[in-house]
């Protein structure tokens, strides 16, 4: 039985007071027994939000992590620094990092490895662009993005990770993949991994991301291979985020 997980990705939104207020409203809406909920906070506020949510059911995540361990890498944040600030999850390979900041399958795989080495759970984001989907390349893109990590980290590394399928065309566009479209890719990802290790594939959490809102979350989350969501815009409002979490 896979544990559901709902993660908010705040991206580059809000200032210190906004982040603290948002985190406070989320924890106010949670019960002691809740689990499987996290927020990915901008680096500069990670420590402070981390202190606020420490000992609550809300887990802390980052939006990226360096592909190197330490040293002369100006502007980068290492996995050990994140661990030191109480981070549980680190997004790696978000499409905005791939398209706007030249992250490649190789740097994403290196980030994945760095996170895991420090005991931070990498959340590997994969997904195709509209052009790739229309060119029937969705599965080829998924294969490439997934294989780069498996080649560098080994399939066993997926046991302590999360995958987020985020079709690029559905991110921030209000255009959600249909439940069936999302399920088809989630099932494909699980089957691909099962070819290498069935036990790991069976327990792996695969989240869907891309315009998940309170009104479409329940149907998406009821698909057999969708184990939760990675939520952008709707995670900036505590009520919407909690409503999505409650639809699991
Ligand atoms: P939206 O929910 O705003 O489409 O963003 C999805 C996303 O990129 C989460 O990482």
């Amino acid at each position: 039985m896979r544990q559901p997980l709902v993660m908010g990705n705040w991206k580059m939104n809000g200032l210190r007071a906004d982040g603290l207020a948002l985190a406070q409203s989320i924890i106010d809406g949670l019960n002691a027994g809740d689990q499987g909920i996290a927020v990915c906070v901008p680096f500069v506020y990670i420590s402070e939000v981390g202190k606020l949510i420490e000992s609550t059911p809300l887990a802390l995540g980052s939006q990226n992590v360096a592909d190197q361990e330490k040293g002369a890498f100006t502007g980068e944040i290492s996995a050990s620094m994140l661990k030191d600030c109480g981070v549980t999850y680190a997004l790696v390979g978000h499409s905005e990092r791939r398209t706007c900041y030249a992250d490649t399958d190789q740097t994403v795989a290196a980030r994945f490895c760095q996170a895991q080495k420090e005991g931070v759970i990498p959340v590997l984001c994969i997904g195709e662009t509209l052009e790739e989907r229309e060119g029937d390349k969705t599965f080829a893109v998924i294969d490439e993005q997934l294989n780069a990590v498996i080649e560098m980290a080994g399939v066993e590394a997926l046991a302590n990770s999360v995958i987020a399928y985020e079709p690029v065309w559905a991110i921030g566009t209000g255009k959600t993949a249909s439940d069936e479209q999302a399920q088809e890719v989630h099932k494909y990802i699980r089957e691909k991994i099962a070819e290498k290790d069935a036990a790991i594939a069976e327990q792996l959490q695969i989240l869907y991301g891309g315009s998940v809102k309170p009104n479409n979350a329940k149907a998406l989350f009821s698909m057999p291979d969708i184990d939760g969501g990675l939520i952008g815009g709707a995670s900036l409002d505590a009520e919407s985020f909690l409503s999505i979490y409650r639809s699991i």
Side-chain angles (χ1 to χ4, degrees):
M1 187 59 188
R2 291 184 294 272
Q3 182 66 239
L5 177 61
V6 171
M7 301 185 80
N9 175 7
W10 292 356
K11 308 193 179 184
M12 196 173 74
N13 289 298
L15 299 180
R16 178 178 166 277
D18 304 309
L20 288 170
L22 177 54
Q24 186 65 54
S25 304
I26 298 168
I27 53 182
D28 286 347
L30 292 173
N31 306 315
D34 283 332
Q35 48 183 330
I37 180 164
V39 284
C40 297
V41 176
F43 283 136
V44 283
Y45 304 131
I46 274 189
S47 250
E48 210 168 347
V49 171
K51 272 183 213 133
L52 180 72
I53 68 178
E54 203 179 357
S55 315
T56 77
L58 183 62
L60 185 64
S62 67
Q63 299 172 16
N64 197 9
V65 57
D67 60 344
Q68 305 286 331
E69 188 182 333
K70 62 176 179 177
F73 300 101
T74 302
E76 291 299 304
I77 308 288
S78 72
S80 57
M81 291 171 185
L82 294 175
K83 185 79 193 167
D84 198 27
C85 295
V87 164
T88 300
Y89 297 100
L91 301 185
V92 300
H94 191 282
S95 71
E96 286 147 20
R97 302 300 316 174
R98 292 180 191 260
T99 55
C100 310
Y101 299 97
D103 231 350
T104 64
D105 287 341
Q106 278 60 44
T107 56
V108 170
R111 294 180 201 287
F112 182 103
C113 292
Q114 288 298 332
Q116 249 185 0
K117 211 160 70 182
E118 289 299 329
V120 173
I121 300 169
V123 179
L124 172 65
C125 304
I126 57 179
E128 81 288 359
T129 62
L130 186 58
E131 203 185 352
E132 288 161 344
R133 174 160 282 263
E134 287 175 345
D136 265 339
K137 295 197 185 108
T138 298
F139 297 127
V141 170
I142 296 293
D143 282 347
E144 252 174 57
Q145 295 178 339
L146 203 53
N147 285 341
V149 171
I150 293 175
E151 272 162 33
M152 195 179 289
V155 69
E156 60 286 349
L158 294 177
N160 297 310
S161 74
V162 175
I163 290 184
Y165 168 58
E166 298 206 302
V168 180
W169 49 273
I171 295 178
T173 57
K175 225 194 263 177
T176 324
S178 70
D179 310 336
E180 292 74 22
Q181 276 174 325
Q183 164 60 20
E184 183 188 28
V185 181
H186 280 235
K187 183 165 178 274
Y188 179 82
I189 294 168
R190 202 177 302 286
E191 283 173 357
K192 271 283 147 184
I193 296 165
E195 284 170 13
K196 297 188 165 63
D197 192 311
I200 287 176
E202 183 51 36
Q203 59 82 47
L204 182 66
Q205 291 166 312
I206 308 179
L207 313 183
Y208 169 78
S211 299
V212 178
K213 307 286 177 207
N215 64 359
N216 59 23
K218 201 178 175 74
L220 283 161
F221 296 166
S222 65
M223 301 311 278
D225 288 291
I226 301 183
D227 305 312
L230 181 54
I231 322 298
S235 75
L236 296 173
D237 176 75
E239 205 182 310
S240 300
F241 186 54
L242 286 164
S243 151
I244 291 170
Y245 172 64
R246 295 286 174 220
S247 35
I248 274 276

